[in-house]
Amino acid sequence: MEKEIQEAFQKDLERITSYQEIQEVKNKYLGKKGIVTELTSNMKDLSVEEKKEVGRLANTIRTYVTEEITKVEQRIEKEELNRKLEKDTIDISLPSEKIRRGSRHPFQRIVEDVEDFFVSMGYDVVDGPEVETDENCFQRLNVPLGHPARDAQDTFYIDPEYLLRTQTSSVQARTMQQNTEKTPIRMICPGKVYRRDDDATHSHQFGQVEGLVIDKNVSLADLKGTLELFAKKMLGENTKVRFRPSFFPFTEPSVEVDVSCFKCGGKGCPLCKQSGWIEVLGAGMVHPHVLEMGGYDPKEWTGFAFGTGLDRFAMFRYEIPDIRYLYTNDIRFLEQFDRKDEENEIK
Ligand code: PHE
């Protein structure tokens, strides 16, 4: 009996070629009405001795059948895999999908160039918060509460004490206070500022870079020399710089700085409105009272400060007609600048 089952089972096994057939064979032997199960179906009529014998036999066959079926299962799996591998060959000559590369934002390119220049001149690059106190943004820069100069910078106030900084000059006030040893300062601070303004050349958010130098015997000539080098680095070797008297509450004297138009070289064109010059910077000698509020004795120390809009530099360099392009993150716009930098041979 045992042998008969075994032979039949072997024959069944050999015929298996698919998963479905495995299930059928499994059922035939081990299922509820299967051959092995049937062996023990009339156990209750047997004697104790016979029960033992039949039980042992059934178990042996069950184990044997299970093991053999598992082996076949593994074999079939392997065969299916091989069949798949043979059929699904990969055509390595097919062109691959183009990977889209990101590119540096024009704004970021300008920031990196500004940082490179000033770091090479021994400046630190510092950072300050965009949510700032009225004290750092105005009061410590000689703009007390109620001062008319506040009107010039339409400020987003959070509450009477806190605001979104309107100028990176707030970082001048911070840097002076934080330098508790009152040692010389040479810093720039690129960052975002906010004003209630919105049109093709003004955005409610834009970029500035602040510069502050405090030391003994710093003069307006140092400021001019520094800014001349800076303008040449940013806009080309032939760039000239011109100072015009101006007013800022925190500098005295104050100047507005023009650069010769890099489009027409100073001859006059639509970009410079035929004047040959373009205004790029506000600057001046740090006001004695501002030095004092920062803990520096104005009899001992002098300094200069300057602030410039980063967006304007980006717009000039890349001839971007609308400031809003810088903030809408349109990939078609952003992709152009690797090529433009190559054409302009600006690294
Ligand atoms: N903070 C001034 C502005 O936003 C620019 C400036 C900075 C002027 C430093 C003088 C010195 O207009």
Side-chain angles (χ1 to χ4, degrees), residues 33-85:
K33 296 234 163 86
I35 293 170
V36 182
T37 320
E38 287 286 300
L39 279 179
T40 52
S41 63
N42 52 0
M43 289 269 270
K44 61 180 183 323
D45 305 328
L46 301 177
S47 69
V48 177
E49 278 305 306
E50 283 168 331
K51 269 184 190 163
K52 261 193 189 165
E53 178 64 18
V54 173
R56 198 186 48 76
L57 183 67
N59 265 341
T60 316
I61 297 176
R62 186 175 286 277
T63 313
Y64 173 75
V65 167
T66 312
E67 277 173 9
E68 288 301 300
I69 283 184
T70 310
K71 273 189 218 159
V72 174
E73 250 169 358
Q74 285 167 352
R75 196 194 75 218
I76 297 254
E77 219 167 85
K78 232 188 198 163
E79 280 171 6
E80 294 239 318
L81 184 67
N82 282 339
R83 223 175 298 142
K84 248 193 174 160
L85 284 175

Side-chain angles (χ1 to χ4, degrees), residues 153 166-167 169 172 195 208 210 248 250-251 282-284 305-307:
Q153 302 186 354
T166 56
Q167 50 184 355
S169 302
Q172 286 189 36
R195 292 185 198 179
Q208 280 193 336
E210 194 78 11
F248 297 103
F250 37 92
T251 46
F306 57 87

Side-chain angles (χ1 to χ4, degrees), residues 15 27-28 76 86 143 147 153 174 176 184 192 201 214 230 233 236 238 271 286 295 310 323 326 336 345:
R15 274 199 293 271
N27 258 339
K28 183 172 170 187
I76 297 254
E86 247 165 58
V143 186
H147 192 284
Q153 302 186 354
R174 284 185 168 270
M176 283 188 250
K192 294 194 194 92
T201 51
I214 295 178
F230 174 56
K233 153 83 183 183
N238 298 324
L271 183 68
V286 182
L310 290 165
I323 192 170
L326 289 171
Q336 306 168 43
E345 285 182 15

Side-chain angles (χ1 to χ4, degrees), residues 121 123 186 213 215-229 243 285 302 304 306:
M121 302 272 283
Y123 286 58
R186 249 175 209 76
V213 169
D215 210 333
K216 313 260 162 95
N217 302 318
V218 177
S219 74
L220 200 63
D222 295 320
L223 172 64
K224 195 166 183 199
T226 305
L227 294 181
E228 242 164 30
L229 282 176
F243 277 21
M285 300 305 292
T302 48
F304 64 71
F306 57 87

Side-chain angles (χ1 to χ4, degrees), residues 107 129-130 165 167-168 190-194 205-208 327:
F107 195 86
E130 289 166 28
R165 67 178 178 196
Q167 50 184 355
T168 43
K192 294 194 194 92
V193 300
Y194 300 85
Q205 176 208 293
F206 57 101
Q208 280 193 336
Y327 297 102

Side-chain angles (χ1 to χ4, degrees), residues 246-264:
S246 185
F247 172 79
F248 297 103
F250 37 92
T251 46
E252 181 58 35
S254 300
V255 291
E256 252 160 352
V257 183
D258 298 339
V259 292
S260 52
C261 180
F262 35 84
K263 190 96 198 260
C264 63

